[in-house]
Amino acid sequence: MASSNTRQLLITRYDATRALSKTLAQPLSAEDQCVQSMPDASPTKWHLAHTSWFFETVVLTTHNVIAYRPFDERFAFLFNSYYESLGPRHPRSERGLLTRPTSATVLEYRAHVDTAMRRLIEEANEDTWAAVAPLIVLGLNHEQQHQELLLTDIKHLLSRNPLQPAYAGGITSHRSSMRQDTPPATQWIDCAGGRVDVGHDQRGFAFDNETPRHAVLLQPHQLANRLVTCGEYLEFIADGGYKRPEFWLSDGWAMSNAQQWQAPLYWQSENGKDWRVFTLNGVKTIDASEPVCHISFYEAAAYAAWARARLPTEFEWEAAAANVSGAERAFDTRSPHPRSTGIEKNANFGFAQLYGETWQWTRSSYDPYPGFKPHTGAIAEYNGKFMVGQIVLRGGSCATPDGHARSTYRNFFPPSARWQFSGIRLARDL
Amino acid sequence: MASSNTRQLLITRYDATRALSKTLAQPLSAEDQCVQSMPDASPTKWHLAHTSWFFETVVLTTHNVIAYRPFDERFAFLFNSYYESLGPRHPRSERGLLTRPTSATVLEYRAHVDTAMRRLIEEANEDTWAAVAPLIVLGLNHEQQHQELLLTDIKHLLSRNPLQPAYAGGITSHRSSMRQDTPPATQWIDCAGGRVDVGHDQRGFAFDNETPRHAVLLQPHQLANRLVTCGEYLEFIADGGYKRPEFWLSDGWAMSNAQQWQAPLYWQSENGKDWRVFTLNGVKTIDASEPVCHISFYEAAAYAAWARARLPTEFEWEAAAANVSGAERAFDTRSPHPRSTGIEKNANFGFAQLYGETWQWTRSSYDPYPGFKPHTGAIAEYNGKFMVGQIVLRGGSCATPDGHARSTYRNFFPPSARWQFSGIRLARDL
Amino acid sequence: MASSNTRQLLITRYDATRALSKTLAQPLSAEDQCVQSMPDASPTKWHLAHTSWFFETVVLTTHNVIAYRPFDERFAFLFNSYYESLGPRHPRSERGLLTRPTSATVLEYRAHVDTAMRRLIEEANEDTWAAVAPLIVLGLNHEQQHQELLLTDIKHLLSRNPLQPAYAGGITSHRSSMRQDTPPATQWIDCAGGRVDVGHDQRGFAFDNETPRHAVLLQPHQLANRLVTCGEYLEFIADGGYKRPEFWLSDGWAMSNAQQWQAPLYWQSENGKDWRVFTLNGVKTIDASEPVCHISFYEAAAYAAWARARLPTEFEWEAAAANVSGAERAFDTRSPHPRSTGIEKNANFGFAQLYGETWQWTRSSYDPYPGFKPHTGAIAEYNGKFMVGQIVLRGGSCATPDGHARSTYRNFFPPSARWQFSGIRLARDL
Amino acid sequence: MASSNTRQLLITRYDATRALSKTLAQPLSAEDQCVQSMPDASPTKWHLAHTSWFFETVVLTTHNVIAYRPFDERFAFLFNSYYESLGPRHPRSERGLLTRPTSATVLEYRAHVDTAMRRLIEEANEDTWAAVAPLIVLGLNHEQQHQELLLTDIKHLLSRNPLQPAYAGGITSHRSSMRQDTPPATQWIDCAGGRVDVGHDQRGFAFDNETPRHAVLLQPHQLANRLVTCGEYLEFIADGGYKRPEFWLSDGWAMSNAQQWQAPLYWQSENGKDWRVFTLNGVKTIDASEPVCHISFYEAAAYAAWARARLPTEFEWEAAAANVSGAERAFDTRSPHPRSTGIEKNANFGFAQLYGETWQWTRSSYDPYPGFKPHTGAIAEYNGKFMVGQIVLRGGSCATPDGHARSTYRNFFPPSARWQFSGIRLARDL
C-alpha cells in the first residue's frame, strides 16, 4: 500500500519539477516563447505544453479512475511530439506557427493538468497506483529532459537575433559561474580494463535504454581527469584544426566545409582571432579556462585526433564514473537553477567535471544493449526507435536539472548537433 | 509656400494612415504579431516597424533640418526590406526570429517617428518641404501597401494553425460582407480597341511604375462586367480543371502537380466536394456568389482557357476602368476597415467589381513602360528592380485601404502567388 | 495538286535538314552523345531520336495512309519531350540515363523514319498532302531548333569535363570565325517610332507564336548598330559590374550572388583578370572584338544599366530588322555548318550582326500577341504553354542553322539561362 | 628474399584480378560504362580507371625505383576517389560527366599500369618489395571491392532505363542461379555466448578495420541458419509491414514514407501484389525461395521486429561464422563470374548462406575496434574516416568476387542504402 508519505513525497517532487519549467520560462516574453529557430529546436511554449500533454496522455487519460476531462481535445494533436501510436500530430517543423494557444492558455493547461495529477496521486487506489507511479516518475524525468532542451533551444533562438539579447542578466549560468583562473594540466587516469558491469541495475529510476545491466570487456586505457578547455581548443583552431582534413571523419569534413565551421557554435570573431561567445547572459569574451562547449561529435573527434588521443567509449566513461563515490549527489540542491559545483566530491580519484559542465561525446554509436527491451505501450517509442545514426554522450551539463543525470545515463544526438551543451573528455590507449 | 492648411491636411492624412496600421494589428496578440509563416510573408510587427523605418530613413535621417535622433541605431539593419543602397540588412526569411524588439517597443518606435514626422511637417522650411513632401506621400502609400500585406500575411499565418483561429470575429470582412444572393450572368462589354492612352498623368500621386503615360494600340475585345465567382470556379473544379493539362501553362501544370493543388488556397475539403474556406473570420462554407479569391495566375489562366476566354491585358483593363466615372471615389470612407461597396458608381457602364473585391490577374508580364525612369536615390529600388518574372494585377481588393488604388495602379506578384486577394476577370477577342 | 517538283523540293529540304543533324553529331563519341550535363540540356542522342519521334508521331502515325509501323513502340514514351496530350513520357531530367537504345540504334531509327517520310512525301494523295505538308515543314523547323540545342548542350557537357575537350578541331565555329581586328565604335541608329506592324504575315512558314501580325506603337528611340563586344564587357567587369547591385534586377542580383557569377558562362580566370574562354574548339584567349556571348538576361540588363542604356523591346528590334533589306538571305548557304557572314547586306543602314553571332536579349517578356491562337492538335503545346516567366530573344546565333531565323522570330528562355548563344544589343530613349 | 615463385604467384593473382574487372565490363557498351545513375554510384569506366589509379598512385609513383611515367598527369585529379592527402579531385557526383577519356583510353591506361606493375613485381629489389608487396595485395583487394560495386552500380543504372535491359543474358547470376524449390523452415542455432575473440589475427591479408583482434563478451542467443526469403518478406509486406510504424526505427519510417517504399528496391508491381523483380538478367517473377535482397538496414530492422526477432550483432555473426569449418573455401573457383555454391561446407553446423547470397545487415554501428590504428600514409584514409553513421554488414554476396570475403570482414553502408546486395539473417535472445 502506497503510504500517504510516499504519495506526499511524489507530490512534492512533482510540484518542484513542474515549477522549475515555469521558472525557466519566466524571463521570456510571450514572443520569445513562441518562435522556433530551427526544425531541431522547439518553442518554449511548446515545451511547456508538451510536458503537460505527456502527463495528460500517458497518465490521466489512460489510467485515471477519476473522470478526467482534457483541457482541450485538440491539444492531443498539437502537442504530441513523435508518438506514432497516439495518432496523427502536428509537424515538428511547424511548431513555431502555433501563435495560439497563447502562453497564458498554456499556463492554464499546465494548471489544469497539475490539479488532476495531484488528485490522482492522492486518491489513486492500489491498482492504479501501481500502474501510474512509474509513469509519473517517467513523466518527471521526461520534463527534466525538456527543461534542458528549453534552455538549449532558447539559447539558439536568441543567438539568431542580431540584437544578441541575454536570456536573463541575473542568473548564474554556465559561462559566468566558471572559475577564471588557469586550469591545471590534464592528468591521465589509468584504467586497467577487463570485465566490468555496465548499465542500470534498475534500483531506482532509469530510462529503458540504460538496461539491461550487462558485462563488457574493456582494454587498458587512460582517461583525462578533466574536460578540454576553450584555451586548448583555441590552440587547435590556431593550428589549422578546421582546415586540415587529416583530423576529420569524412562526414565531418564535408559538413564543416559546407557550413563553414571555424569555431564552436556561438563563437564570434571578425578576424578569426579575437573570439567572443554568445551565452545565455549575452556576449562575453572567451574564458580560456572553461570547458569548450557547443561542438559537434565531428569536432570532438577531430580535436582528439589533433591531440593524439581519442574519445572514450561510453563504457570506459561509465566504468570510471561509477568509481567516483557519491558523484551523483554532488549537485548543490539549493540552487533554483540547474548547476553543479563543477568539481565532484571524490577529489582523490580526480575524475572531475562529470555532470555539471558539458555533456561529453563518446566514441560509441547509440546501439541497443544486449537484451534491450523497450517499455510497453505508447512509451515503447521513448528511446528504442532512435537507436540509429546517433552518438552517445555521457555526463551532464550546466543546463541539466539537479538529480537528473547518473553514471549510466545515455544521452544521444546526431554527430552534427552543436546546439546542445556538448564538449570533450579525452581518452587514449595504454 | 506650403500653407499651414496644406501642412495640416498632410498631418491629418499622416495620422489617419499611421493609425490604421495600429488598428489592423489590434486584434492580434504579441505572439501573432511576431511569427513569420513563410519567407514571402512578414510578421505584423515587422510591417509596423518597417513602415516606420521607411519614414525614418528616407525622410528623417536624410532630409530633416531639425536634428533627428534614431530611436535605435540597430533598427536600420533590422527593418530595411530590400534597399541595397542603404547597406546590409537582416535576411528576409529570418524576420520571424526577431522576438526582440517586442511589440511594445515597436509601438514606441512608431510613436518616436510620428512625433518627429509631425514636427517636420509643421516646421520644415520651404526647401525642405519641397524635398520631403513627395517622400512623405510616398511613405504613406508605402504604408498602405503594407497594410494590405499585413492582412494577407496574418491570414496565411492563422491558416497554418490547426486551430484555425479567426483574425477577429466582429469585423466585416471580405467573405462575410458579400451578398448571398445569386449573381447575375456575366455581361460581356464590347471594347472597340484602337489607340488609348495609358499610365498615370502625374497629376496627384502615382508610383513610378505607372509612368510615363503613353499611347498603346488595343485590338477589339470584350471584357466581363464582373469577376468569376466561387460557384463558377467550382464548375471548373468539377469538370476536372486541376487534372486536365490542356488548360494549363507548362510552369503552372508543374507547380500545381508538385504542390497538389486541387482548389484555391484556403479552400478545405475532406472529400473533394464539400468545400469550406478559411477566412479572416474563421472557417465558413463557400458562398457561390462571391468572387473566387486566392488563386495564382496559373489557375486564373487555366480557368480562362477552360471557359474559352482569356485574361485581359493590363491595358485593356485600364482603358475600361478609366471609363468608369468616379470609380475611384466609390469606396465607403466611413469604414474603419478597408472595404468597398462592391458595386462601382457607373452602373450604366456596368464594369463592376473593379477595386473592392479581389485584385485581377492580367495577361501582362510586369515590364517597364517605354521611357520608364525609376525614382532617384534610395527609392530608385522601389519598383524598377522587380520588373522581371512577375505578372501585373489590376484593380484592388477587400484588403486594399480606401483611396489607395486607381485605374493606372500596377500591382505585381509572381505567377505562383496565391496568398494575395487575387481573382479573375475574363476577356475575349472579338 | 502538289506537283512532283514541289514534292521533290520538299524531299531535298527534308534530306538536307536531317543530314545536318547527323553531321553535327559526327565528331562525338557514343559516350559524348549519351550524357546529360544538367536538366536543361539533353543528350545528343536524345536530340537525334526526339526529332525523329516528332515526325513519327505528328506525321506518320497520325496521317499516313500507307501503313506505318513504328520502329519501337516504346520510343513514344522515351522520346516525347513535353506533349501532355500524347501520353506519359520519360522525365526530362533522366534523359541521360538512357544508355539504351544505343547511338547506333538511334541512327537506325532515324533511317526507318526517313524512309517512311520520303515515301509519304512522294506518294501522299492530295488530302493527305494538304494535311501533312505544313506539319513536315514544322518538323523541319523543329529539327533546326534542336540542331542549335544540340550544339549548346554538347558545349555545356564538354565544358564540365576537366580535360576541356574540343567538340571538333577543324570546324569554323563562332569563336574562331570572327575577325580579330578592333571593332568600330558603336553607331546609334535613330528610330522615329510611331505605328509599325509586327508579327509574321504568314506568307511562308512561321511558328504560331509570331502571329497574328498586328500594329504596335513605338516611342522614338535609338538602337546600337552592333552587338556589345567582349572588350566592352570586360570594362563592365573591371568597373565592378558584378559587385554593384545598383545595375541589377533584384532576381538577377540574388542569382548572381548565389551562383557566384563573375563573368559570362565559359569564361575562366585564376586571378579575375586574365580571362580565357571555353569554346567548341577548346579553350582560347578572349577576343575583345567578338560579341560577348553566354550571358543571362540578368547580366544583359545589368550591363545595359551600367552603360546608361537599356535593352530594346522585341518590337523595336523587329521594326529595325525588317528595314534591313535582304538580311535574311545574307547567310552563306554553301556552308555545311551553320554560320553567317557576320555582316548583313545593307551596309548603308548599318544595323549589323542580326542573325549570325548571338541571340539578343530584349526587354520584352514572352507574352502572347493579341489574338494569338495556338496550333490545333498535339502541336498546340508547341509554344503557347510556355508563355510565362520567359524573356524574348531576337535575331539568331552562330549556331542557328542557315535559313532558320527571320525578323519576326521569337526565341525565348528564362532570364537566368546562360548556356545559349545569347548576347547584347543596346537601345536608348531619344 | 622474395623468391621468383612468390613473385610469379603475385603476378598470376594480379593478372587474374585485373582481368576480372575487364570481364565484368565486357557486356557493356561504351555508353553503359559512362553514365552515373546517382551520386552514390560510379560509372563502370570510372571503376576501371580508379582501380588503376590506385596502383599508379599508391604503388608506382610512390615506390617505384624503375622510373615510371604516368599515363596522363591529369588522371591523378580525375580518378582520385576520396583521398584528401593526395590533393584535389573531381567531384564524386560529376563522375558521369567524364565522356572523355573514352572507354578505349581507359583500357589503354589499364594496360599501361599493368605493364609497369608486372615489371615492378618481377624486378623490385628487396627493400622495394617489402614496401610494395603489401600495397599490391591491398590494391587487389581494393579492386575486388570495386568489382562488386561495378555490378551494383550498373544494375542501378540499367534499372532506371524504362527498357529494363539485361546486363547480360548468358551469365549465371544471383537471381537465376538459385534453386527454385521451397526452402526448409528456419532452424535456430543456439549460441551460448561468453567470451570470444573477434577481429583478424593478421595472418594473411585483412583491412585495417578488422583489427586488432580482441575479446568481447556475448550474451546467449540464437541465430537463424539461413537468410530470410522473398516469400517470407512478401508476408511482411502483406501484413502491412511498410504501413505500420511500430516496426520501424524513426529515421527509417521517415525515409520509407518520403521515398514511398513499398517493397525492396527493384521490385515492381502495378497492383501491389504481383511482384516482379529487375535483375542483371532482366525482369523476372519473384522466386519465393530466394533470399530477399536490396533492402536497407531500416527495412531489415523492421522485418526483424515484425518477425519478433532482431538482427545479430556483428560479433554474434562473426563468432558463428568462425565456427563454420572451411566456409571461406566453399566458393567454386572455376567460375569466371563471382558466385558461390550457396550452401557452405559444414552442413552439420547448418549455418548456411554466409558469403554467396547477400550481405547481411547487423545491429552494429560501424565503430572502431579498441586499439584500432589506421594504415599510415595515403591509405590511412581507406577505412577509418568513414567510421560514423554507417552500419556493419557481414558475409558476402553473389556479386562478391571469389576469395574476397572472410568471417572477420566488415562491410559498411549507411542505413538507407538499398542498391547493394543486402539481405537479412535473424537473431533472437535466449
Side-chain angles (χ1 to χ4, degrees), chain C residues 32 94 99-100 160-161, chain D residues 32 94 99-100 160-161:
Chain C
D32 294 332
E94 298 181 12
T99 60
R100 323 273 178 100
R160 299 298 307 278
N161 191 320
Chain D
D32 293 332
E94 298 182 12
T99 60
R100 324 275 177 99
R160 300 298 306 278
N161 191 320

